[in-house]
Amino acid sequence: MKSDKIRLTLGDWQWNASVIGFINIVGEENVCHIEADTVEFWPEALDGFENKYFAYFINTYEKTLSWYKIVNFQDRLNTYEENNFEEFDLKALEFLNVYIKDVKRYIKSNSYKAAYELIDSEVELLSFEKQLITIKEPKNQQRFDVDKSEIVNEVKRRFLLLQQIINYCASSEGRRYIGAKNAIYNIINNAWNGVSFLNSQTKEKNIYSDYKSYFVDTATGYLQSEKGKYKYNCFVCDAPIKDMSNDLSFLNATGFDVARKSSHVWNFQNDITICPLCKLIYSCLPAGIIYTYNRGIYINQTIKLKDAVRINNKIKSRILRSQDGSMRPIYHALVSVLHEQENDSAKYELADVQVVRYENESYRFNILAKPMLQIIVNSKKELDSLIRVNFIENGRNINVYDEVIGRIFNNQNLFTLIHKMLYGKLSDASKCYFNGSHVRNVLIINQLICSRLGGMKMDNTYLVKKSREAGESLRNKYFNKDSNHKLAGICYRLLNALKTTNENMFMDVTLNCYLYVNSQVPKVITDALGRGKDFSTMGYAFVSGLIDGQDGSGNKEKKAEGE
């Protein structure tokens, strides 16, 4: 603390994200950057902090909230009424029924019910939920046209109910409390839980008052207290504290219950306690991490706080800009920021910084080493082609873009991913939303990865191109002999050989194939023998040509469900 100002200095990743979250909430104009890694602010910045806290989440994630999905129907409702339902057809009715089901589910949920108690209104929203029912859908558009006048009358009655629901939710108090409830259970509880309004046993119904009393008031009270007789110190800022009551147990995947898990600390004596001010800052952690669909990302730039704020906000704007209801890869925003840099010095400003990902209720960490960034930057064209490429494995939708970027960050090659893609294409092509050109691009990226890790001796694109052409040529020869039904079995055997890196088995199958078509084995195959990763690359490129032919001429690129 200096001149009655409060000073915050960067530390570990979680504290850094919390500091950035605090800056996002109060506004960068209300803090002063005094050093590269330090900011100061006046205690007055905490006035009305609870309102700023929830306003940040509501404003930032507005379009992802169920509250927004309810009120956003207003424009569509107005359009139909203005043109006297002339454009209202069967598809519009189907959409309306889906919307009605969603609205009914939302407004009778427990979080919404809790918000109603805080909204000063005579409207009983739950009574509308009982009256709001879907409209029977005709079997086809022709039948719809016959019964349109009757259906439109039903729609108008539903619109009267929906208008009242929308007006209720769109009111200032509706947005304030329902939006805050949405933010709590969609965003905030990803970072912390079990205290304040996220304590299931809290007696305070007003979430704003609960946050203020638990975090803000205790922090301001601590700042004004006389600390001369305090004998303990804060684990984060080393400031004197009165007792050991505040710990990190409320942070997800970080803290622990010190009363029940005393064995987690040395000599069964917990010394990890924090001051109320640091606890307030930690409550801002969800404002520092960028979340989308229960996944999050944070770039831990520790040298310059201004750069950390700028980079993370740029990624945030990228992610939220694409919030159109589809499951976009969270990595895409990070890679887009790298690709849009204008010069080499700026291009690698993120080199050797930590990337923190929140997935499956746990944190995962990677270091953005410069070689990885070079691979990402040099593979822009190939990576862009993979953004919407998916395949289904064991009922789970796998995004190839996410898988590729994740393996680049982890210094892993892509051979197992390529194997899964080709095996899936053979076993059930209907579950594979990619074609041969996508496999080729993954192979090219894999060549770059392997060359960085060592072990590649042949030219990146030449090996993939020539090997794939060899596979395509052999495929055509089998088709000319009306033996294309044999290709699937051949590809399975080749993939098994590649998976076990068995060159002898691969060559046995390959030689038999070329003997069958009375043709010479291409030089690209024999040149790759004994070359480790070069051989694997050649093999997978060769098999991809056998499966798909000319860049997937037999398999048009399909769009994955949910994209």
Side-chain angles (χ1 to χ4, degrees):
M1 193 175 297
K2 180 181 178 182
S3 302
D4 295 327
K5 282 188 175 182
I6 301 168
R7 176 177 294 189
L8 303 175
T9 302
L10 294 180
D12 63 87
W13 78 266
Q14 210 162 21
W15 174 256
N16 297 348
S18 301
V19 170
I20 290 177
F22 176 81
I23 294 172
N24 287 337
I25 290 168
V26 300
E28 198 163 5
E29 67 278 4
N30 293 315
V31 299
C32 178
H33 293 267
I34 60 169
E35 294 178 17
D37 63 346
T38 304
V39 292
E40 285 184 342
F41 64 93
W42 293 102
E44 286 74 16
L46 300 180
D47 293 344
F49 187 78
E50 68 279 5
N51 296 317
K52 301 173 188 176
Y53 187 83
F54 286 105
Y56 170 81
F57 292 108
I58 296 171
N59 294 334
T60 302
Y61 294 97
E62 181 182 52
K63 292 185 179 180
T64 69
L65 305 178
S66 60
W67 168 87
Y68 181 81
K69 294 176 183 177
I70 293 176
V71 301
N72 192 47
F73 191 75
Q74 181 69 64
D75 292 339
R76 189 183 291 259
L77 188 151
N78 292 340
T79 301
Y80 288 135
E81 290 182 338
E82 287 171 2
N83 61 28
N84 200 26
F85 294 90
E86 290 180 3
E87 298 179 2
F88 195 87
D89 54 13
L90 180 58
K91 287 186 177 180
L93 178 60
E94 292 171 349
F95 182 89
L96 175 62
N97 280 334
V98 172
Y99 173 74
I100 288 174
K101 291 176 183 177
D102 288 341
V103 170
K104 287 173 67 69
R105 186 176 77 254
Y106 293 146
I107 64 177
K108 67 180 181 181
S109 65
N110 290 333
S111 63
Y112 274 70
K113 290 178 182 178
Y116 302 154
E117 300 179 24
L118 306 174
I119 299 173
D120 184 16
S121 174
E122 296 179 356
V123 176
E124 291 288 340
L125 214 59
L126 291 177
S127 64
F128 294 142
E129 186 273 329
K130 296 176 181 178
Q131 301 175 50
L132 190 63
I133 57 176
T134 56
I135 301 170
K136 186 177 180 180
E137 299 172 4
K139 293 182 178 180
N140 51 52
Q141 183 62 44
Q142 291 179 339
R143 186 64 185 171
F144 177 90
D145 293 336
V146 173
D147 300 334
K148 183 172 181 178
S149 59
E150 184 180 339
I151 292 172
V152 167
N153 288 332
E154 286 288 323
V155 170
K156 288 180 179 179
R157 285 193 283 271
R158 301 302 187 279
F159 275 17
L160 289 174
L161 292 171
L162 289 172
Q163 186 63 68
Q164 295 182 74
I165 294 172
I166 291 172
N167 290 341
Y168 181 92
C169 294
S171 66
S172 58
E173 286 196 343
R175 186 179 191 273
R176 174 179 170 84
Y177 291 109
I178 297 176
K181 282 288 186 179
N182 287 174
I184 287 171
Y185 295 108
N186 291 342
I187 309 298
I188 297 173
N189 69 343
N190 289 322
W192 57 268
N193 214 327
V195 298
S196 187
F197 49 75
L198 282 171
N199 182 355
S200 58
Q201 297 180 347
T202 183
K203 296 179 180 179
E204 177 58 66
K205 294 182 179 180
N206 190 315
I207 49 182
Y208 287 81
S209 300
D210 203 351
Y211 181 84
K212 182 177 185 294
S213 62
Y214 188 86
F215 287 106
V216 184
D217 289 347
T218 53
T220 54
Y222 169 76
L223 292 173
Q224 296 167 4
S225 64
E226 176 57 48
K227 307 175 185 63
K229 296 183 180 180
Y230 292 173
K231 59 180 181 179
Y232 301 104
N233 293 93
C234 174
F235 181 78
V236 176
C237 66
D238 204 38
I241 53 178
K242 184 178 181 180
D243 52 42
M244 309 279 282
S245 59
N246 284 322
D247 52 51
L248 299 176
S249 60
F250 73 105
L251 295 176
N252 293 342
T254 303
F256 59 92
D257 190 332
V258 295
R260 297 182 180 181
K261 301 287 185 180
S262 58
S263 60
H264 284 23
V265 290
W266 171 252
N267 203 26
F268 299 92
Q269 296 295 320
N270 177 54
D271 60 350
I272 304 176
T273 55
I274 56 177
C275 66
L277 177 62
C278 288
K279 193 164 189 175
L280 171 67
I281 301 300
Y282 271 123
S283 75
C284 302
L285 177 62
I289 299 175
I290 306 104
Y291 292 103
T292 173
Y293 299 100
N294 296 321
R295 304 169 69 197
I297 189 169
Y298 170 71
I299 307 300
N300 188 26
Q301 226 283 15
T302 59
I303 299 176
K304 291 183 179 180
L305 184 52
K306 277 188 176 181
D307 287 346
V309 173
R310 177 178 55 81
I311 291 167
N312 281 282
N313 283 341
K314 188 179 289 187
I315 293 173
K316 176 176 65 180
S317 65
R318 281 273 184 175
I319 291 175
L320 297 179
R321 194 187 310 163
S322 65
Q323 291 290 355
D324 53 2
S326 63
M327 186 59 179
R328 295 293 299 272
I330 199 168
Y331 278 132
H332 185 230
L334 173 60
V335 175
S336 297
V337 171
L338 293 174
H339 284 160
E340 71 182 14
Q341 303 297 337
E342 296 179 355
N343 55 69
D344 287 339
S345 60
K347 191 176 291 182
Y348 300 117
E349 67 177 353
L350 290 177
D352 300 322
V353 300
Q354 187 181 45
V355 177
V356 182
R357 294 175 292 135
Y358 179 79
E359 296 177 4
N360 300 321
E361 299 184 355
S362 62
Y363 294 108
R364 304 183 182 190
F365 305 90
N366 297 101
I367 299 295
L368 277 178
K370 189 170 182 177
M372 300 177 194
L373 298 185
Q374 289 174 332
I375 292 170
I376 292 172
V377 171
N378 294 337
S379 305
K380 181 181 187 304
K381 180 181 176 182
E382 289 79 14
L383 284 171
D384 286 347
S385 73
L386 302 176
I387 290 173
R388 292 185 177 272
V389 174
N390 300 267
F391 64 94
I392 297 174
E393 182 185 43
N394 298 326
R396 190 167 65 95
N397 192 44
I398 307 295
N399 182 276
V400 174
Y401 185 95
D402 267 0
E403 290 292 318
V404 170
I405 296 295
R407 291 172 192 235
I408 291 174
F409 285 168
N410 289 325
N411 271 326
Q412 297 174 332
N413 63 51
L414 308 178
F415 286 126
T416 55
L417 174 62
I418 296 165
H419 185 92
K420 288 179 180 179
M421 292 174 70
L422 294 176
Y423 194 89
K425 196 76 167 178
L426 277 174
S427 58
D428 190 352
S430 65
K431 294 181 179 180
C432 298
Y433 307 102
F434 59 84
N435 58 36
S437 64
H438 296 128
V439 178
R440 180 195 63 210
N441 288 337
V442 176
L443 282 163
I444 291 173
I445 297 170
N446 188 56
Q447 284 280 88
L448 290 172
I449 295 172
C450 292
S451 64
R452 295 288 178 187
L453 296 176
M456 302 301 292
K457 300 179 177 64
M458 302 181 74
D459 178 65
N460 288 343
T461 55
Y462 173 84
L463 181 59
V464 175
K465 179 182 177 182
K466 291 299 181 182
S467 301
R468 183 172 171 79
E469 287 176 354
E472 293 169 359
S473 175
L474 182 60
R475 173 188 171 89
N476 292 334
K477 290 174 181 177
Y478 266 79
F479 268 84
N480 293 336
K481 292 175 70 71
D482 291 327
S483 299
N484 51 298
H485 59 280
K486 297 181 179 181
L487 288 173
I490 292 169
C491 290
Y492 275 123
R493 293 198 295 274
L494 291 175
L495 285 175
N496 287 336
L498 290 169
K499 187 176 183 179
T500 57
T501 61
N502 191 328
E503 292 188 12
N504 292 331
M505 183 191 299
F506 184 92
M507 289 307 299
D508 283 344
V509 176
T510 304
L511 288 172
N512 284 332
C513 290
Y514 280 99
L515 285 171
Y516 178 74
V517 297
N518 194 26
S519 181
Q520 184 178 354
V521 178
K523 189 172 183 294
V524 68
I525 296 178
T526 56
D527 284 350
L529 290 173
R531 291 181 178 267
K533 291 184 175 63
D534 281 336
F535 178 81
S536 296
T537 300
M538 178 278 298
Y540 283 117
F542 179 76
V543 174
S544 72
L546 271 179
I547 294 173
D548 262 349
Q550 292 286 338
D551 282 343
S553 56
N555 293 280
K556 293 183 179 179
E557 181 181 356
K558 295 176 286 185
K559 198 175 182 181
E561 184 178 356
E563 281 292 322

